[in-house]
Structures are given as structure tokens and as C-alpha cells.
Amino acid sequence: MTATAFITGATSGIGAAAVEEFVGAGWRVIATGRRADRLAALQQRLGADAVHTLAFDVADEAAVDAALAGLPTQWQDIDLLINNAGLALGTKPAQEASLDDWRTMIATNVTALVALTHRLLPGLVARRGAIINLSSVAATYPYTGGNVYGGTKAFVEQFSLGLRSDLHGKGVRVTSIEPGMVETEFTKVRTGGSQEASDALYKGADPMTAEDIAATMLWVATLPPHLNINRLELMPVSQSFAGFQVARD
Ligand code: NDP
Ligand code: 8X3
């Protein structure tokens, strides 16, 4: 029987690549995001039998509920939830950052992820399904300007591990994927739409691609059912760690 994945943030970057990857491997995918035109293009390219689209703001719980309530019967049995929708806003240190940006990151990366997971968990338990959550290296390694973004991703990692505990014995797999630099629209979004800033960050860095992460997610999702990858951290070879900083008088 064909398995069904529910992928948030499917209009761009990692999520869009994941739709292609999973459909290519024979899965059916419910692809979601706010930009309905991009979802329609995805469905047109891959076919309505393989891709069902739901356009909603993941942070709008009423919109999420309405979208889920309207799922056709043949799309209601979800085997895999990929909580990928998310964003960083701003690169300023905390004392100069925008509180509105912080609220948006928490609403999207934390509150919305938790609410959608809560909504789909009973079905995932019934089907002994799986959850893949998109955390980040920013969950583990702090950097200047990462403040609330890193905090949201640390939550995603710890929530994933907590889910593993709560789902003990239920046969549901949960994985926190924690990538470093992946070239997507992420930096353009973070910098308020600056393609120049995005190009400058990735130039010469040979960053990971959205396809790299999508292929990793498919690998995680298709391991033998007795295997669970708890956390998986990836970086491009060009990215590594810097030391502590010391302020001197
Ligand atoms: P993109 O900006 O390319 O994609 C982000 C996706 O999230 C889009 O499809 C966007 O859809 C969706 N999204 C954002 N806000 C909302 C919302 N309120 N409602 C619904 N959908 C939303 O970035 P990436 O592909 O890089 O990011 C995907 C995930 O990977 C994020 O969680 C990010 O934090 C994480 N990540 C990214 C890394 C990177 O270096 N790129 C590294 C580590 C983790 P739309 O705008 O159409 O709603
Ligand atoms: C995004 C990765 O290194 O830009 O989650 O914080 S990084």
C-alpha cells in the first residue's frame, strides 16, 4: 500500500525538495504552505494522484483545523508528518532585535509545530507512523544573532526527544533533523527579502542543498521499522565551529 506523507513548508527549499523526493520514491504527499500558486505548480508537475495540496498559514490554528477537516477520505491516513515549515527573522543581537520577529518565529517554529503535531498524533499512533521535525545546528551551537531562532530549534529538538519518550511502545518513530547551512530561501526571508545578502552568504561556501536534506529524510523514513534515528546533525564540509569569545576591559 502506498504511504502518505504530510509535509509543511512545501512551497520552497527543503520542503519542496522533500515533496519531489518522496513522490519520486512512490509516496503520496500532502503538500502545505501559504503560497497556493507554488503548491498548484507542484501538483501540476507531479500529478494530483501523488500530491494533494492544502494552502494555509500553519500558525493560524483555525485555518489548520479547517484544512484538515476538508481532507478527502483517501488522503486522511497519514503515515509520516514532516514538520518543516519554519523561519528565522533577523540577524541582530537580542538587545537590538525586533520583538515582533521573535513572536513570529515562536508562533511558527514552536507553537504551530506543536499544535499540528497534537492534531495528527492520534492518527500517527493508530498507524504506527513517524514524525520528522526540522530543527537546526542552531539548536546546539549558539551564534550572535541566533538568539530566539536557536531557542525555537532547541525546543524542536527537545520536543522530538520528549515525543520519543511519550510514544514509548507505540511503534511511532520520531527524528530531529538538525542541518547547518542549506541554500534555500531561508536567508532571503531572514534578511527581509535581500537576494544580495543570500547570495553573499552562500557564495563560495558549497552549502548543502535542499535535495541533500530531502534525501536524508527519505532515508530516515524508509529505514527498517525497528530503527529510530533520534537526532541527525548535518553540515556542509565548509562549515564548522568557532571558539568562545572573551570581552576584555
Ligand atoms: P525556505 O524559506 O526555503 O522554506 C520555508 C518554508 O516554510 C516555505 O515553504 C514557507 O512557505 C514555509 N512557511 C514559513 N512560514 C509559514 C507559515 N506561517 N505557514 C505556512 N508555511 C510557512 O527555508 P528552508 O527550506 O531552508 O527551511 C525549512 C526548514 O528548515 C525551516 O524550519 C528551517 O528553520 C529549517 N532549517 C533550514 C536551514 C537552512 O540553512 N536553510 C538549516 C537548518 C534548518 P510559505 O512562505 O509559502 O508559507
Ligand atoms: C539554519 C542554520 O546555521 O543558519 O537553521 O543557523 S544556521
Side-chain angles (χ1 to χ4, degrees):
M1 201 184 57
T2 309
T4 300
F6 188 107
I7 302 179
T8 66
T11 58
S12 169
I14 295 168
V19 177
E20 303 263 0
E21 188 78 20
F22 278 80
V23 169
W27 290 57
R28 299 191 320 154
V29 173
I30 300 166
T32 80
R34 286 168 299 186
R35 286 169 286 184
D37 54 334
R38 292 197 182 192
L39 294 174
L42 204 54
Q43 188 184 48
Q44 196 165 22
R45 193 164 65 254
L46 299 174
D49 288 343
V51 176
H52 183 76
T53 64
L54 294 177
F56 57 76
D57 180 339
V58 77
D60 178 344
E61 282 187 40
V64 174
D65 282 346
L68 293 178
L71 263 182
T73 319
Q74 68 273 26
W75 287 94
Q76 285 176 5
D77 292 338
I78 295 161
D79 301 286
L80 169 66
L81 167 62
I82 300 185
N83 277 314
N84 165 77
L87 78 173
L89 292 173
T91 54
K92 290 185 177 162
Q95 62 276 19
E96 295 165 26
S98 149
L99 182 56
D100 278 347
D101 284 352
W102 284 6
R103 288 197 176 105
T104 302
M105 287 188 277
I106 293 166
T108 312
N109 301 356
V110 175
T111 312
L113 182 147
V114 163
L116 181 62
T117 303
H118 189 267
R119 188 76 164 71
L120 296 184
L121 256 181
L124 290 166
V125 169
R127 295 180 70 74
R128 299 174 76 83
I131 300 171
I132 295 176
N133 290 326
L134 262 291
S135 175
S136 164
V137 292
T140 305
Y141 311 102
Y143 58 87
T144 307
N147 45 68
V148 166
Y149 177 70
T152 65
K153 293 302 179 178
F155 174 89
V156 173
E157 178 199 324
Q158 196 62 21
F159 179 57
S160 305
L161 297 177
L163 283 173
R164 284 275 293 131
S165 282
D166 288 358
L167 292 164
H168 181 76
K170 302 287 186 203
V172 178
R173 300 195 283 184
V174 185
T175 300
S176 169
I177 303 236
E178 300 164 17
M181 182 189 278
V182 188
E183 185 167 6
T184 63
E185 293 179 14
F186 177 84
T187 300
K188 194 173 167 188
V189 170
R190 183 172 209 166
T191 56
S194 172
Q195 189 60 52
E196 294 72 30
S198 180
D199 292 345
L201 181 70
Y202 300 125
K203 188 172 177 219
D206 201 8
M208 293 187 289
T209 64
E211 291 72 26
D212 291 331
I213 309 303
T216 302
M217 293 196 290
L218 180 64
W219 173 73
V220 164
T222 54
L223 286 167
H226 66 282
L227 268 177
N228 192 96
I229 305 287
N230 298 332
R231 298 177 53 242
L232 202 161
E233 185 181 296
L234 315 88
M235 278 182 173
V237 174
S238 63
Q239 186 180 29
S240 64
F241 323 101
F244 294 111
Q245 48 191 343
V246 178
R248 300 181 198 282
D249 294 333

